[in-house]
Amino acid sequence: MESILEPIVSSPKLNLYLKQLQDIVNDENIKRQRFYQDIREDQKAEFIKGEVIVHSPVRIEHNIVGKLLLELLDMYVRTHRLGLVGYEKMLISLTRNDYEPDICFFSRAKSDLFTKGQMKFPPPDFIAEVLSPSTENTDRTDKFIDYAAHGVGEYWNIDPAEETIEKYVLKCGKYELSLKVRTGMIHSDVIAGFGIPVRAVFDEDENIAALRKLLSV
């Protein structure tokens, strides 16, 4: 039992707390079903703790960094037939919240079960979020906790301003910082054999060189 629950469980008001919590959950479920009905394919929107979050357009550096990592990861995964790489508008539906990560990876064990027309997806094996001023707090708090709680094995936070990548690996249900790097190589623990120069995510020439190397293997 998590320590946060101990005073609630030991309280004589446990059942009253339970009713209040159930009312909150029921209200959120109604809002969540409305979110599924109203969301449009041209929107980037998430459902977080009962609120619909519609994202503003990204800054150019956010777009470039996301695209460079996507090209490397997608090429590697498709070449080795490891599964499916998703980007931006794939709705990851967890027990309470729905997210649209910048980049995610599903192993073949999961992606082979996907069906035509599917619009909601289970927790991926890997997620990368490109940080921005409007989303960094959520990426480092709610998503950080939620992704770990639902078994996402590896989580990268990419900072376009600082040109750094933070790699978190799931251990005992929580993320541990494996490394924070600006240069050198970064290897995935979850995507077998995937390793790239860090600069290939921030520099187009480095990206092209890394793509050529991936294709030559």
Side-chain angles (χ1 to χ4, degrees):
M1 180 187 302
E2 292 193 27
S3 58
I4 194 172
L5 294 176
E6 291 176 1
I8 297 175
V9 172
S10 62
S11 170
K13 297 170 66 177
L14 173 62
N15 286 339
L16 295 175
Y17 291 144
L18 180 61
K19 183 181 184 305
Q20 292 176 30
L21 289 171
Q22 191 59 59
D23 288 343
I24 292 170
V25 170
N26 290 340
D27 182 61
E28 280 196 12
N29 285 338
I30 292 171
K31 292 180 179 178
R32 196 176 191 185
Q33 291 307 311
R34 191 178 304 127
F35 166 74
Y36 293 148
Q37 294 169 8
D38 294 345
I39 189 173
R40 305 194 312 267
E41 289 187 17
D42 62 338
Q43 289 180 316
K44 182 174 173 64
E46 300 177 313
F47 186 85
I48 305 176
K49 294 186 294 189
E51 300 295 329
V52 177
I53 311 297
V54 178
H55 292 282
S56 59
V58 298
R59 301 183 182 192
I60 188 170
E61 58 268 26
H62 185 289
N63 180 267
I64 290 172
V65 165
K67 182 179 68 174
L68 293 181
L69 176 58
L70 175 64
E71 289 172 345
L72 292 166
L73 182 57
D74 188 52
M75 180 60 67
Y76 182 83
V77 168
R78 288 193 295 119
T79 299
H80 295 277
R81 302 183 183 279
L82 297 178
L84 175 71
V85 175
Y87 63 97
E88 287 195 345
K89 291 189 174 71
M90 289 195 76
L91 191 67
I92 307 304
S93 197
L94 305 184
T95 50
R96 183 182 185 187
N97 301 313
D98 298 275
Y99 304 108
E100 293 189 333
D102 291 317
I103 298 171
C104 58
F105 162 78
F106 300 90
S107 65
R108 288 196 62 179
K110 293 180 181 179
S111 64
D112 284 351
L113 300 177
F114 296 165
T115 58
K116 187 175 182 179
Q118 184 169 338
M119 295 184 67
K120 293 188 290 184
F121 298 89
D125 299 278
F126 167 98
I127 287 178
E129 295 282 11
V130 182
L131 304 178
S132 66
S134 62
T135 65
E136 181 172 0
N137 182 62
T138 302
D139 292 339
R140 293 191 179 281
T141 56
D142 292 329
K143 291 185 178 183
F144 189 90
I145 295 168
D146 222 359
Y147 291 162
H150 289 84
V152 179
E154 188 172 342
Y155 181 36
W156 290 10
N157 279 170
I158 305 172
D159 189 332
E162 297 294 327
E163 297 192 348
T164 58
I165 301 176
E166 297 170 15
K167 170 186 165 184
Y168 296 91
V169 177
L170 189 64
K171 292 185 178 180
C172 301
K174 295 182 179 180
Y175 283 133
E176 291 186 6
L177 180 63
S178 174
L179 76 165
K180 179 177 180 179
V181 287
R182 185 175 282 109
T183 60
M185 295 288 293
I186 184 168
H187 298 270
S188 172
D189 285 27
V190 167
I191 305 167
F194 182 68
I196 55 172
V198 174
R199 296 301 307 159
V201 178
F202 303 103
D203 182 280
E204 293 199 11
D205 290 335
E206 293 279 354
N207 183 269
I208 291 170
L211 276 173
R212 287 174 175 163
K213 186 173 183 179
L214 287 177
L215 289 170
S216 67
V217 174

